[in-house]
Amino acid sequence: MSDLLSLSHVTKLYRQGGMLSRRHVTAVRDVSLRLGEEPEILSIVGESGSGKSTIAAMILGQTAPTSGILNFRGRPVAVHGKVERRAFMREVQPVLQNPFEAFNPLKKVDRYLFETARNFSPDGIRPSQADIERMADRALVHIGLTLAEVKGRFPHELSGGQLQRTAIARALIPQPRLLVADEPVSMVDASLRMAIVNLFSQLKKELGLSIIYITHDLATAYYISDRIIIMKKGEIVEEGGARAVLDNPQHPYSRALKEAVLSASPDMEPASLV
Ligand SMILES: Nc1ncnc2c1ncn2[C@@H]1O[C@H](COP(=O)(O)OP(=O)(O)OP(=O)(O)O)[C@@H](O)[C@H]1O
Ligand SMILES: [Mg+2]
């Protein structure tokens, strides 16, 4: 079976201390992973500075690896070229950490949805306003909102949860195959997190989306992921099915994570049982 995404021996060094410095930090070291064609949720967890966001940025083509190969559908992830980038972004969309930063406070949120709909209209034909509104509404309905609820609103007129759901809806408009969500619920009220990440499970089922879910929040990762990757200092230290990793952690770090899950989530139901 062909791969949706594959990373092969990917390493990323960042220069430290200015252009002329020879010092480097190894943000990601020799990481290999793959997503198959079958929709799945892959969580990447690990302590701060372990390289999670660097992996996300490389998968999104925002930065190139220092060495190694990243392929999406068998072709190198598009880092350059306006046409190539747009074709790539149609299939791979980001969900950002902080919805209040993703949206300009002075701009109505519907404008983001409309701009994305205009930029990613099917067939590249210039869509009518009615088509644009239909695309935005269709995406919003998938995450439990309607265009009527967000139309004409400024970001501060929506709750953090509504705004993050709107950001997820925006990412759905191009009808992508893969979402890369880097800490998507860390700025959202703890009581709403599970509801938002449960949307990911639902989107996987309804739309056949694959999702890379990057988080510190192990409880949510455990309940929605098919697979979990645990990173430490730029390297993958453990990888496997969510249940397997947390039921039988091999690495001291994964053992600590398991304890965090157990103590953090006595009242949570696994998504698969809801
Ligand atoms: N643009 C950059 N320039 C220089 N160093 C960077 C840059 N981005 C990340 N780093 C360094 O690379 C390492 C990995 O950072 P990264 O942001 O990928 O970690 P992370 O796992 O996402 O952390 P967090 O959980 O805090 O978000 C860190 O040591 C970080 O300081
Ligand atoms: Mg990060």
Side-chain angles (χ1 to χ4, degrees):
M1 203 170 73
S2 61
D3 288 339
L4 183 68
L5 176 78
S6 68
L7 277 68
S8 180
H9 302 289
V10 168
T11 291
K12 178 74 181 183
L13 306 181
Y14 284 115
R15 197 189 301 273
Q16 264 191 331
M19 287 295 279
L20 299 176
S21 164
R22 291 214 189 120
R23 281 188 302 133
H24 288 90
V25 52
T26 306
V28 169
R29 188 192 301 271
D30 196 24
V31 161
S32 297
L33 64 89
R34 58 177 291 276
L35 290 179
E37 283 290 343
E38 185 74 18
E40 73 168 317
I41 300 180
L42 172 70
S43 286
I44 304 180
V45 303
E47 63 203 18
S48 191
S50 57
K52 305 182 298 297
S53 294
T54 304
I55 288 186
M58 289 190 287
I59 292 172
L60 288 163
Q62 293 165 348
T63 186
T66 308
S67 62
I69 296 170
L70 287 95
N71 280 341
F72 181 77
R73 292 214 155 123
R75 298 176 59 187
V77 165
V79 178
H80 302 294
K82 206 174 165 194
V83 175
E84 290 79 4
R85 280 292 295 159
R86 182 163 298 184
F88 175 73
M89 298 285 288
R90 208 181 258 288
E91 300 206 83
V92 184
Q93 279 282 314
V95 175
L96 302 175
Q97 175 170 19
N98 186 345
F100 291 99
E101 276 173 16
F103 293 98
N104 177 335
L106 301 177
K107 192 165 151 181
K108 289 175 184 164
V109 294
D110 52 16
R111 281 184 49 198
Y112 287 90
L113 299 169
F114 296 161
E115 276 165 21
T116 304
R118 201 170 288 124
N119 286 336
F120 290 98
S121 67
D123 320 323
I125 298 165
R126 197 183 156 84
S128 67
Q129 183 61 24
D131 289 336
I132 286 172
E133 299 204 5
R134 233 184 335 265
M135 286 166 79
D137 191 53
R138 194 171 54 205
L140 285 163
V141 167
H142 280 297
I143 53 86
L145 289 170
T146 62
L147 184 57
E149 286 172 278
V150 304
K151 204 172 176 184
R153 302 279 198 94
F154 287 99
H156 70 266
E157 295 179 289
L158 299 178
S159 69
Q162 281 177 321
L163 203 56
Q164 191 56 310
R165 287 195 290 151
T166 305
I168 296 168
R170 194 208 55 74
L172 295 179
I173 288 176
Q175 300 186 309
R177 185 61 182 74
L178 175 65
L179 288 188
V180 180
D182 190 355
E183 312 255 14
V185 290
S186 62
M187 308 300 284
V188 172
D189 204 65
S191 61
L192 297 173
R193 282 182 195 161
M194 202 64 210
I196 291 182
V197 297
N198 272 336
L199 281 173
F200 288 154
S201 298
Q202 195 184 314
L203 294 173
K204 179 184 83 167
K205 283 192 212 109
E206 285 177 1
L207 300 175
L209 266 179
S210 288
I211 298 168
I212 293 182
Y213 173 49
I214 295 175
T215 187
H216 284 109
D217 190 34
L218 289 154
T220 55
Y222 180 55
Y223 291 130
I224 66 159
S225 329
D226 299 294
R227 272 191 299 150
I228 293 186
I229 280 175
I230 296 177
M231 295 202 55
K232 195 173 180 193
K233 296 188 178 144
E235 294 183 85
I236 294 177
V237 293
E238 202 163 327
E239 179 179 4
R243 290 275 152 100
V245 166
L246 285 184
D247 290 347
N248 185 21
Q250 300 295 313
H251 193 273
Y253 186 65
S254 6
R255 269 178 239 139
L257 294 190
K258 180 180 178 177
E259 273 152 39
V261 172
L262 293 178
S263 62
S265 57
D267 55 342
M268 281 192 184
E269 288 290 317
S272 56
L273 301 181
V274 171

